[in-house]
Amino acid sequence: MRLSAFSTPGRFWRGNLHTHSNLSDGALPPEEVCRRYRAEGYDFMALTDHFVGCFGYPVADTVPFRAEGFTTLIGAELHSGPMSNGELWHILAVGLPPDFAPGNAPDFRVQPGMETGPEIAARAVAAGAFVAIAHPQWSGLTLADARSLTAAHAVEVYNHGCAMGCDRPDGFSIADLLLTEGRDLSLIATDDAHFSEPDHFGGWVMVKATENTPEALLAALKSGQFYSSQGPELRDVVVEGNRVIVESSAVVSVIVQGAGTGAKAVHGQSMTRAEVPLERLGASPWLRVTVIDAAGRRAWSNPVRR
Ligand SMILES: [Zn+2]
Ligand SMILES: [Zn+2]
Protein backbone atom coordinates (compact mmCIF):
# COMPACT_ATOMS: atom_id res chain seq x y z
CA MET A 1 0.00 0.00 0.00
CA ARG A 2 1.48 3.32 -1.15
CA LEU A 3 0.50 6.60 0.56
CA SER A 4 -1.77 8.61 -1.73
CA ALA A 5 0.64 11.56 -1.95
CA PHE A 6 3.06 9.23 -3.75
CA SER A 7 0.59 7.31 -5.92
CA THR A 8 -1.55 10.12 -7.35
CA PRO A 9 -0.48 11.91 -10.54
CA GLY A 10 1.14 15.33 -10.55
CA ARG A 11 4.11 16.90 -8.80
CA PHE A 12 4.72 18.43 -5.39
CA TRP A 13 4.06 22.13 -4.82
CA ARG A 14 5.55 23.84 -1.78
CA GLY A 15 3.28 26.08 0.25
CA ASN A 16 2.74 27.84 3.55
CA LEU A 17 -0.83 27.62 4.83
CA HIS A 18 -0.66 29.96 7.85
CA THR A 19 0.57 33.57 7.57
CA HIS A 20 -0.33 37.00 8.88
CA SER A 21 0.00 40.49 7.42
CA ASN A 22 -0.65 43.99 8.69
CA LEU A 23 -4.33 43.45 7.90
CA SER A 24 -4.23 41.95 11.42
CA ASP A 25 -1.18 41.73 13.72
CA GLY A 26 1.54 40.90 11.18
CA ALA A 27 4.38 43.33 10.52
CA LEU A 28 4.27 43.47 6.71
CA PRO A 29 1.67 44.38 4.07
CA PRO A 30 0.10 41.50 2.11
CA GLU A 31 2.00 42.33 -1.09
CA GLU A 32 5.39 42.14 0.66
CA VAL A 33 4.49 38.90 2.48
CA CYS A 34 3.56 37.31 -0.86
CA ARG A 35 6.71 38.69 -2.51
CA ARG A 36 8.94 37.17 0.16
CA TYR A 37 7.35 33.72 -0.06
CA ARG A 38 7.60 33.76 -3.84
CA ALA A 39 11.24 34.92 -3.65
CA GLU A 40 12.02 32.07 -1.25
CA GLY A 41 10.87 29.51 -3.79
CA TYR A 42 7.38 28.77 -2.55
CA ASP A 43 4.82 27.77 -5.18
CA PHE A 44 1.86 29.02 -3.17
CA MET A 45 0.78 30.47 0.16
CA ALA A 46 -2.33 31.37 2.13
CA LEU A 47 -2.60 34.66 3.97
CA THR A 48 -4.68 33.84 7.05
CA ASP A 49 -5.20 37.01 9.07
CA HIS A 50 -7.08 36.99 12.36
CA PHE A 51 -10.82 37.02 11.58
CA VAL A 52 -11.92 39.34 14.40
CA GLY A 53 -13.80 42.62 14.45
CA CYS A 54 -10.98 44.86 15.68
CA PHE A 55 -9.18 44.08 12.41
CA GLY A 56 -12.40 44.37 10.33
CA TYR A 57 -12.82 40.58 9.89
CA PRO A 58 -10.19 40.44 7.13
CA VAL A 59 -10.27 37.78 4.41
CA ALA A 60 -7.20 39.06 2.55
CA ASP A 61 -7.54 39.47 -1.21
CA THR A 62 -4.23 38.05 -2.43
CA VAL A 63 -5.41 37.48 -6.01
CA PRO A 64 -3.43 40.55 -7.26
CA PHE A 65 -0.20 38.95 -5.95
CA ARG A 66 -0.54 35.75 -7.95
CA ALA A 67 2.11 35.52 -10.66
CA GLU A 68 3.74 33.08 -13.04
CA GLY A 69 4.61 30.02 -10.96
CA PHE A 70 3.06 31.38 -7.76
CA THR A 71 -0.52 31.22 -6.56
CA THR A 72 -2.44 32.00 -3.41
CA LEU A 73 -5.27 30.43 -1.47
CA ILE A 74 -7.79 32.69 0.25
CA GLY A 75 -8.05 32.11 3.98
CA ALA A 76 -8.26 33.37 7.53
CA GLU A 77 -7.57 32.26 11.09
CA LEU A 78 -10.96 32.00 12.77
CA HIS A 79 -11.56 32.85 16.41
CA SER A 80 -14.75 32.15 18.29
CA GLY A 81 -16.17 30.34 21.29
CA PRO A 82 -14.14 29.35 24.33
CA MET A 83 -11.83 26.36 24.55
CA SER A 84 -11.99 24.65 27.93
CA ASN A 85 -9.31 27.05 29.25
CA GLY A 86 -11.66 29.98 28.62
CA GLU A 87 -9.70 31.43 25.68
CA LEU A 88 -10.89 31.70 22.07
CA TRP A 89 -10.27 28.96 19.56
CA HIS A 90 -7.68 29.43 16.79
CA ILE A 91 -8.89 27.60 13.68
CA LEU A 92 -7.11 27.73 10.35
CA ALA A 93 -9.41 27.96 7.31
CA VAL A 94 -7.91 27.90 3.80
CA GLY A 95 -10.10 28.14 0.71
CA LEU A 96 -12.67 30.50 2.20
CA PRO A 97 -14.99 32.60 0.04
CA PRO A 98 -13.99 36.30 0.23
CA ASP A 99 -17.40 37.15 1.70
CA PHE A 100 -17.29 34.59 4.55
CA ALA A 101 -19.72 36.00 7.09
CA PRO A 102 -18.34 37.40 10.35
CA GLY A 103 -19.57 35.91 13.59
CA ASN A 104 -19.52 37.85 16.83
CA ALA A 105 -15.85 38.17 17.80
CA PRO A 106 -15.09 41.87 18.18
CA ASP A 107 -11.70 40.99 19.69
CA PHE A 108 -9.98 38.00 21.31
CA ARG A 109 -12.33 37.90 24.30
CA VAL A 110 -15.24 35.52 24.79
CA GLN A 111 -18.65 37.10 24.19
CA PRO A 112 -21.89 35.75 25.64
CA GLY A 113 -23.75 33.60 23.13
CA MET A 114 -21.01 33.72 20.50
CA GLU A 115 -20.64 30.99 17.88
CA THR A 116 -18.65 28.04 19.26
CA GLY A 117 -15.35 26.89 17.75
CA PRO A 118 -16.92 23.72 16.36
CA GLU A 119 -19.75 25.80 14.85
CA ILE A 120 -17.51 28.28 13.03
CA ALA A 121 -15.27 25.41 11.83
CA ALA A 122 -18.29 23.58 10.41
CA ARG A 123 -19.44 26.80 8.72
CA ALA A 124 -16.00 27.22 7.12
CA VAL A 125 -16.02 23.62 5.85
CA ALA A 126 -19.53 24.11 4.45
CA ALA A 127 -18.23 27.23 2.66
CA GLY A 128 -15.56 25.12 0.96
CA ALA A 129 -12.53 25.53 3.21
CA PHE A 130 -9.81 23.12 4.28
CA VAL A 131 -9.84 23.47 8.08
CA ALA A 132 -7.11 22.70 10.60
CA ILE A 133 -6.87 22.82 14.38
CA ALA A 134 -4.13 25.45 14.82
CA HIS A 135 -1.14 25.13 17.23
CA PRO A 136 -2.70 22.78 19.86
CA GLN A 137 0.22 23.03 22.28
CA TRP A 138 0.43 26.82 22.15
CA SER A 139 -3.35 27.05 22.65
CA GLY A 140 -3.31 24.75 25.66
CA LEU A 141 -5.88 22.63 23.83
CA THR A 142 -7.22 19.58 25.65
CA LEU A 143 -8.07 16.27 24.01
CA ALA A 144 -11.75 16.99 24.70
CA ASP A 145 -11.44 20.33 22.89
CA ALA A 146 -9.79 18.70 19.89
CA ARG A 147 -12.34 15.89 19.85
CA SER A 148 -15.17 18.45 19.67
CA LEU A 149 -13.88 20.06 16.46
CA THR A 150 -15.38 17.32 14.32
CA ALA A 151 -15.31 19.33 11.09
CA ALA A 152 -11.51 19.68 11.00
CA HIS A 153 -9.60 18.03 8.16
CA ALA A 154 -6.20 18.40 9.81
CA VAL A 155 -4.13 19.16 12.89
CA GLU A 156 -1.29 21.67 12.73
CA VAL A 157 1.47 19.40 14.03
CA TYR A 158 4.35 21.88 13.64
CA ASN A 159 3.96 25.65 13.92
CA HIS A 160 7.25 27.46 13.29
CA GLY A 161 6.16 30.70 14.96
CA CYS A 162 5.23 28.79 18.11
CA ALA A 163 8.60 26.99 17.93
CA MET A 164 10.59 30.21 17.71
CA GLY A 165 8.41 32.43 19.90
CA CYS A 166 7.61 30.17 22.84
CA ASP A 167 9.04 26.67 22.23
CA ARG A 168 5.56 25.18 21.96
CA PRO A 169 5.40 23.93 18.38
CA ASP A 170 3.73 20.56 18.87
CA GLY A 171 0.47 19.13 17.61
CA PHE A 172 1.49 15.49 17.31
CA SER A 173 0.50 14.62 20.86
CA ILE A 174 -3.15 15.54 20.23
CA ALA A 175 -3.13 14.28 16.62
CA ASP A 176 -1.86 10.82 17.57
CA LEU A 177 -4.54 10.44 20.25
CA LEU A 178 -7.28 11.45 17.79
CA LEU A 179 -5.92 9.03 15.18
CA THR A 180 -6.04 6.24 17.74
CA GLU A 181 -9.69 7.11 18.46
CA GLY A 182 -10.38 6.55 14.76
CA ARG A 183 -10.48 10.14 13.52
CA ASP A 184 -9.50 10.59 9.90
CA LEU A 185 -7.04 13.51 9.96
CA SER A 186 -4.12 14.88 8.00
CA LEU A 187 -1.12 16.68 9.50
CA ILE A 188 0.22 20.08 8.44
CA ALA A 189 3.38 22.04 9.20
CA THR A 190 3.10 25.82 8.87
CA ASP A 191 4.97 29.02 9.62
CA ASP A 192 2.26 31.14 11.28
CA ALA A 193 4.57 33.94 10.19
CA HIS A 194 4.04 37.45 11.51
CA PHE A 195 7.53 38.66 10.43
CA SER A 196 7.88 40.20 13.89
CA GLU A 197 10.40 37.51 14.94
CA PRO A 198 12.24 34.68 13.09
CA ASP A 199 8.96 32.86 12.44
CA HIS A 200 9.08 32.35 8.68
CA PHE A 201 10.28 29.76 6.13
CA GLY A 202 10.56 27.04 8.78
CA GLY A 203 7.64 24.63 8.12
CA TRP A 204 5.58 23.97 5.03
CA VAL A 205 3.43 21.50 3.11
CA MET A 206 4.35 19.73 -0.12
CA VAL A 207 1.06 19.20 -1.97
CA LYS A 208 0.72 16.73 -4.84
CA ALA A 209 -1.40 18.04 -7.70
CA THR A 210 -1.34 18.09 -11.47
CA GLU A 211 -1.37 21.89 -11.57
CA ASN A 212 -0.53 24.79 -9.27
CA THR A 213 -4.02 26.26 -9.07
CA PRO A 214 -6.06 27.10 -5.97
CA GLU A 215 -8.72 24.56 -6.97
CA ALA A 216 -6.28 21.69 -7.50
CA LEU A 217 -4.29 22.48 -4.35
CA LEU A 218 -7.42 22.71 -2.22
CA ALA A 219 -8.76 19.39 -3.50
CA ALA A 220 -5.40 17.72 -2.79
CA LEU A 221 -5.27 19.21 0.72
CA LYS A 222 -8.75 17.92 1.52
CA SER A 223 -7.87 14.43 0.31
CA GLY A 224 -4.58 14.30 2.23
CA GLN A 225 -2.32 14.22 -0.83
CA PHE A 226 0.62 15.99 0.75
CA TYR A 227 3.36 15.75 3.33
CA SER A 228 4.93 18.35 5.63
CA SER A 229 8.55 19.43 5.92
CA GLN A 230 11.19 21.63 7.47
CA GLY A 231 13.66 20.70 4.70
CA PRO A 232 13.90 17.00 3.79
CA GLU A 233 12.01 15.61 0.81
CA LEU A 234 9.83 12.52 1.11
CA ARG A 235 9.82 10.66 -2.21
CA ASP A 236 7.91 7.47 -1.49
CA VAL A 237 6.25 5.69 1.43
CA VAL A 238 4.99 2.14 0.95
CA VAL A 239 3.56 -0.20 3.59
CA GLU A 240 4.43 -3.72 2.44
CA GLY A 241 3.75 -6.69 4.64
CA ASN A 242 5.41 -6.14 8.00
CA ARG A 243 7.64 -3.22 6.97
CA VAL A 244 7.50 0.33 5.69
CA ILE A 245 9.78 1.33 2.82
CA VAL A 246 10.67 5.02 2.81
CA GLU A 247 12.53 6.91 0.08
CA SER A 248 13.68 10.47 0.77
CA SER A 249 16.44 13.01 0.36
CA ALA A 250 19.52 12.15 2.44
CA VAL A 251 18.56 11.65 6.10
CA VAL A 252 20.03 10.15 9.26
CA SER A 253 16.82 8.76 10.83
CA VAL A 254 13.63 7.20 9.50
CA ILE A 255 10.95 6.61 12.12
CA VAL A 256 7.53 4.98 11.87
CA GLN A 257 4.98 5.80 14.57
CA GLY A 258 1.65 4.20 15.49
CA ALA A 259 -0.85 3.99 18.33
CA GLY A 260 0.25 4.05 21.97
CA THR A 261 3.97 3.36 22.45
CA GLY A 262 4.34 1.91 18.96
CA ALA A 263 7.34 3.32 17.12
CA LYS A 264 10.45 2.07 15.36
CA ALA A 265 13.50 4.00 14.13
CA VAL A 266 16.22 3.13 11.63
CA HIS A 267 19.37 5.25 11.84
CA GLY A 268 22.22 5.63 9.36
CA GLN A 269 24.26 8.04 7.29
CA SER A 270 23.01 9.82 4.17
CA MET A 271 20.15 7.34 3.82
CA THR A 272 17.86 7.76 0.81
CA ARG A 273 16.02 4.47 1.27
CA ALA A 274 15.15 2.67 4.48
CA GLU A 275 13.11 -0.35 5.41
CA VAL A 276 11.52 -0.05 8.85
CA PRO A 277 10.25 -3.30 10.42
CA LEU A 278 6.83 -3.01 12.04
CA GLU A 279 7.09 -5.58 14.84
CA ARG A 280 7.13 -2.82 17.49
CA LEU A 281 3.91 -1.34 16.10
CA GLY A 282 1.80 -4.43 16.69
CA ALA A 283 -1.67 -4.01 15.35
CA SER A 284 -1.72 -0.22 15.31
CA PRO A 285 -4.62 0.80 13.06
CA TRP A 286 -2.60 3.70 11.67
CA LEU A 287 1.02 4.52 10.84
CA ARG A 288 2.94 7.66 9.98
CA VAL A 289 6.55 8.42 9.05
CA THR A 290 9.13 10.98 10.19
CA VAL A 291 12.52 11.47 8.54
CA ILE A 292 15.28 13.60 10.13
CA ASP A 293 18.28 15.00 8.26
CA ALA A 294 21.79 15.65 9.60
CA ALA A 295 20.82 19.22 10.53
CA GLY A 296 17.88 17.98 12.63
CA ARG A 297 15.24 19.11 10.17
CA ARG A 298 12.25 16.84 9.78
CA ALA A 299 9.66 15.80 7.21
CA TRP A 300 6.41 14.11 8.18
CA SER A 301 4.06 11.92 6.17
CA ASN A 302 0.33 11.94 6.62
CA PRO A 303 -1.04 8.98 8.55
CA VAL A 304 -2.19 5.89 6.71
CA ARG A 305 -4.79 3.43 7.97
CA ARG A 306 -3.85 -0.25 7.77
ZN1 LIG B 1 -3.26 31.36 16.22
ZN1 LIG C 1 -1.75 32.55 13.30
Side-chain angles (χ1 to χ4, degrees):
M1 178 178 29
R2 174 166 277 123
L3 264 65
S4 67
F6 307 100
S7 61
T8 50
R11 52 155 281 192
F12 283 106
W13 308 96
R14 180 188 182 201
N16 174 32
L17 296 173
H18 189 167
T19 332
H20 299 275
S21 74
N22 64 6
L23 296 181
S24 63
D25 61 351
L28 301 173
E31 182 171 10
E32 176 62 7
V33 175
C34 292
R35 189 199 69 78
R36 291 193 189 188
Y37 275 94
R38 188 177 171 217
E40 292 287 337
Y42 284 70
D43 299 301
F44 72 95
M45 63 164 287
L47 200 51
T48 53
D49 276 303
H50 297 290
F51 194 67
V52 290
C54 58
F55 299 125
Y57 295 106
V59 178
D61 178 13
T62 52
V63 174
F65 315 126
R66 293 176 185 168
E68 185 64 34
F70 182 78
T71 196
T72 62
L73 300 175
I74 304 302
E77 185 170 4
L78 308 176
H79 306 279
S80 200
M83 303 180 292
S84 53
N85 64 8
E87 299 185 47
L88 288 193
W89 275 91
H90 290 226
I91 298 162
L92 196 61
V94 171
L96 282 177
D99 60 350
F100 187 67
N104 174 31
D107 51 33
F108 287 95
R109 285 174 297 192
V110 174
Q111 305 296 325
M114 79 194 305
E115 195 172 24
T116 67
E119 283 168 352
I120 199 169
R123 193 157 66 80
V125 169
F130 169 77
V131 166
I133 300 172
H135 45 59
Q137 187 186 18
W138 181 86
S139 290
L141 203 73
T142 67
L143 180 59
D145 289 329
R147 210 181 260 146
S148 75
L149 213 80
T150 52
H153 297 96
V155 175
E156 194 180 61
V157 288
Y158 176 76
N159 179 305
H160 191 57
C162 294
M164 302 306 285
C166 59
D167 197 25
R168 286 177 166 171
D170 181 67
F172 282 111
S173 176
I174 286 275
D176 285 353
L177 292 170
L178 291 175
L179 289 169
T180 298
E181 292 183 350
R183 275 287 290 276
D184 192 15
L185 288 165
S186 56
L187 313 174
I188 61 170
T190 73
D191 274 346
D192 199 357
H194 291 69
F195 288 93
S196 50
E197 59 184 344
D199 57 4
H200 35 278
F201 317 135
W204 56 87
V205 287
M206 296 293 283
V207 179
K208 184 78 161 296
T210 53
E211 53 182 11
N212 189 28
T213 61
E215 297 75 20
L217 295 168
L218 196 58
L221 284 166
K222 289 179 183 175
S223 55
Q225 290 164 15
F226 63 92
Y227 69 90
S228 295
S229 186
Q230 301 171 310
E233 281 179 34
L234 274 179
R235 295 178 182 154
D236 201 11
V237 178
V238 180
V239 183
E240 197 176 273
N242 213 19
R243 60 188 182 153
V244 178
I245 302 160
V246 179
E247 294 185 19
S248 65
S249 55
V251 296
V252 296
S253 298
V254 177
I255 304 168
V256 178
Q257 299 95 336
T261 59
K264 176 66 181 175
V266 170
H267 306 290
Q269 295 301 317
S270 306
M271 294 188 295
T272 55
R273 184 178 189 281
E275 292 191 12
V276 183
L278 293 177
E279 283 80 10
R280 282 276 300 117
L281 285 94
S284 175
W286 58 271
L287 304 170
R288 60 180 181 83
V289 172
T290 301
V291 297
I292 308 175
D293 72 11
R297 297 177 306 181
R298 288 155 163 77
W300 301 282
S301 81
N302 271 324
V304 59
R305 297 232 161 242
R306 294 167 93 181

